[in-house]
Every structure is written in structure tokens, then in C-alpha cells.
Amino acid sequence: MNKLLLICLLFSVSGISFANVIHKERSLYRNIIVEDNYNLRCLKFNVKTSKTNQSCLYKNNPNKLVFNYTKLLFSSLLLLENPPENILIVGLGGGTMSNTLHQLYPNAKIENVEIDPAVIKVARQYFSFFENDNITSKVQDGRIFVKRAALKKQKYDWIILDAFNGDYIPEHLMTKEFLQETKTLLSENGVLSANTFSVSELYAHESATYKAVFGDFFNVRNRKNSNRIILTANSALPSGEVIVERVKKLAKQLSPFGVDIAQISSNMTSTSEEQDWSDDTKVLTDQYSPANLLNQ
């Protein structure tokens, strides 16, 4: 971990903070805060139960990624035979992922879907979120966007699910029905990655739900924290030999962004070999949602 980031986190845990709030507003959905802490700028959502970092950047090196989960998302490229041409990101944050993908694949079309217009505005103003003819942002609920895109028969090579409301993933974006709808948007060899956590009370139910829709998937984790990426594809998962070859091709390309793809690949485990939840775990549905579970 970057020393400056570690120091900032330690002060945060101890209750001491040098953060300077440079922007604060109440949107339709949440309190939005932008803080500068020395070289680190962070977007936070302040809800009833917590204040959480949604996106951060190093002001003196915006290209270098801060968060572990963002770096873990690049494991998705190990499942793609060719560079992605059409990418869908559900949940914008500060637009870090979109900006990075544009630098990697300047000709790719990237659609960002964000329910809160205030988040898009803040991403543009404080995090240099970049848009052009190929990179767009749409103010819409992710579930509605997916339904309409399916009717239009749109296809994506890479879908990233990264929508958080401050507490956790919105529950209507976790169900079997939603994932089935999203799966129809994947191109023939398309890949889907979802940002979630390994310590969530919903861990087993999330896992069972993804397996019910996609079959076996990769868990991608950093053993030092609670980040987990669920990584799956519309086709068969690649073998270990294929992944090793793709790591070699991607290592130099991803290094400037602080992504050690070799290290990340070593933390990928397939549920075909390691399933850490019970086979009788109940799948999340529109009728049996996270709220039903957490309020028991």
C-alpha cells in the first residue's frame, strides 16, 4: 500500500484527520463529500450508517489507481481473448475506471450508468471524469438501463457492476432476475465483473446467485482486505495456462496504473475447485431480497 495512503487511513481510524472538505452537497440520494487529504482526493457518500470512500485519486499522479478493488477489476482482461470494444459500467463514482479504460483502449465505447446526476457533476468537476463521442454517462437506474438495453439487443464485451448506495449494493441489482437480464447483454465471449466484499453477511447468497445464473466463476481477492471481485464470462472460463500467457501480455501495459496483474492472477480461485458456501444456500430473487435476510 502507498505510504501516504496508509498514513491517512491510520489517522482516520484513530479519529485524527487532516482532510479538507472542498465540496459538500445533499443530492436526491445521499450526502456527497469531496475531501483533500494532502495528495489524496476522495469522493465519499455519507449515509445514516457510515461515511464511505467511493473513489480516490492521487492529485500528483491521477493515472495511478488508489483502491485495491479497482485494480482487481483488471483481472477481467484475463478472460478476454481480444481487447474490449464495448464496455458498460454501472455505478460511476469519480469516473476513475472509465478514465483508465479510455487510456488503455482509446477507441473503445464506454457507457457509464449512474442514478445520481450530482455524482456525475462532481466526477467531472473534481475527478477529471472524461467524456467524448465514445465515452458517455447516462442518468438512470442500472436495472432500468439493463432492461432497456436488452430490448434494444445491445451487446457489451465487458460489463462492470460497481453500484453502491453508501451502505452496500442496491438490492435490486443483486437478484437472480437482474443478473439474468444483464447476462443477455454480454457479447458471445463477453465478461462480467462485480465489485463486492468477502466479509458481507450476504456473501454466500451472492455467490449462490451468481453461480445459478452464470455457472462457475472466479473469486478475485486481495487477502489483506475484504475486497472481492466476482468474475465470470458468457463462455467457458480460460485454463490456467491461458491465463499465464495473458498475464505476460498485459503486465507491461497495466503497470503504469499500479496494477500488478501477475499478483492479482495469483489470487484468482475458481468455484469449480473452491466453493466456500453450502449448496443449499438460498438464491437472491426479486421476491427473496437482501432486506428479507438482513431483517430476520
Side-chain angles (χ1 to χ4, degrees):
M1 181 183 288
N2 177 274
K3 289 183 180 179
L4 177 59
L5 178 58
L6 178 60
I7 291 170
C8 292
L9 289 174
L10 289 173
F11 277 124
S12 177
V13 170
S14 66
I16 302 172
S17 175
F18 297 103
N20 175 36
V21 176
I22 60 172
H23 180 78
K24 186 174 183 179
E25 68 175 282
R26 172 66 185 172
S27 75
L28 290 170
Y29 299 93
R30 55 182 67 94
N31 289 312
I32 298 173
I33 300 167
V34 180
E35 291 182 346
D36 276 357
N37 202 330
Y38 293 109
N39 184 42
L40 196 66
R41 172 168 294 176
C42 291
L43 169 66
K44 298 185 177 186
F45 293 163
N46 193 357
V47 294
K48 289 183 180 179
T49 58
S50 63
K51 183 193 289 185
T52 56
N53 284 329
Q54 300 298 314
S55 187
C56 291
L57 61 76
Y58 298 111
K59 291 188 290 183
N60 69 344
N61 188 3
N63 291 339
K64 187 176 181 181
L65 298 173
V66 176
F67 286 145
N68 280 306
Y69 87 84
T70 313
K71 298 174 185 179
L72 294 179
L73 282 168
F74 285 92
S75 59
S76 306
L77 298 176
L78 299 174
L79 272 62
L80 288 168
E81 185 175 352
N82 300 303
E85 296 179 358
N86 293 286
I87 302 169
L88 171 63
I89 302 175
V90 180
L92 179 68
T96 302
M97 195 65 183
S98 180
N99 284 359
T100 302
L101 290 176
H102 173 63
Q103 292 183 71
L104 284 169
Y105 307 111
N107 295 320
K109 291 187 177 180
I110 304 172
E111 289 189 71
N112 294 278
V113 179
E114 169 59 51
I115 194 172
D116 193 341
V119 170
I120 298 175
K121 180 194 69 175
V122 167
R124 289 168 178 158
Q125 186 171 354
Y126 295 97
F127 294 87
S128 302
F129 170 50
F130 180 80
E131 295 163 282
N132 61 17
D133 291 341
N134 283 340
I135 305 169
T136 59
S137 58
K138 190 176 187 68
V139 179
Q140 197 166 75
D141 179 274
R143 183 81 180 256
I144 293 173
F145 179 91
V146 166
K147 282 181 178 290
R148 293 179 178 175
L151 290 173
K152 297 175 186 175
K153 301 189 183 304
Q154 293 175 223
K155 297 292 180 182
Y156 299 91
D157 303 316
W158 185 5
I159 297 176
I160 300 169
L161 301 181
D162 190 24
F164 281 77
N165 57 19
D167 287 321
Y168 203 59
I169 303 165
E171 63 180 24
H172 66 299
L173 303 183
M174 300 175 67
T175 67
K176 181 179 180 181
E177 291 88 345
F178 169 68
L179 293 179
Q180 287 172 328
E181 293 165 351
T182 306
K183 186 179 180 181
T184 67
L185 300 183
L186 287 173
S187 60
E188 183 179 358
N189 297 306
V191 172
L192 180 141
S193 48
N195 177 28
T196 178
F197 291 96
S198 57
V199 296
S200 165
E201 294 179 58
L202 298 170
Y203 177 91
H205 298 280
E206 288 176 332
S207 301
T209 305
Y210 273 85
K211 186 162 185 177
V213 175
F214 292 99
D216 284 313
F217 58 85
F218 284 114
N219 273 313
V220 190
R221 287 178 264 218
N222 183 324
R223 302 295 179 177
K224 297 179 182 179
N225 53 52
S226 61
N227 295 130
R228 168 171 82 139
I229 301 299
I230 295 175
L231 176 56
T232 190
N234 205 23
S235 55
L237 298 177
S239 66
E241 291 77 10
V242 169
I243 288 176
V244 168
E245 288 305 310
R246 290 176 181 171
V247 165
K248 293 176 183 177
K249 293 179 181 179
L250 288 165
K252 187 175 181 180
Q253 186 181 14
L254 296 177
S255 179
F257 302 97
V259 177
D260 185 343
I261 195 63
Q263 178 63 41
I264 290 171
S265 70
S266 70
N267 289 320
M268 292 172 60
T269 57
S270 173
T271 56
S272 64
E273 301 173 355
E274 184 181 312
Q275 178 175 313
D276 53 1
W277 71 91
S278 172
D279 285 332
D280 61 359
T281 300
K282 205 160 185 179
V283 169
L284 300 173
T285 67
D286 287 344
Q287 286 69 45
Y288 190 75
S289 68
N292 300 130
L293 289 163
L294 297 179
N295 292 330
Q296 288 179 348

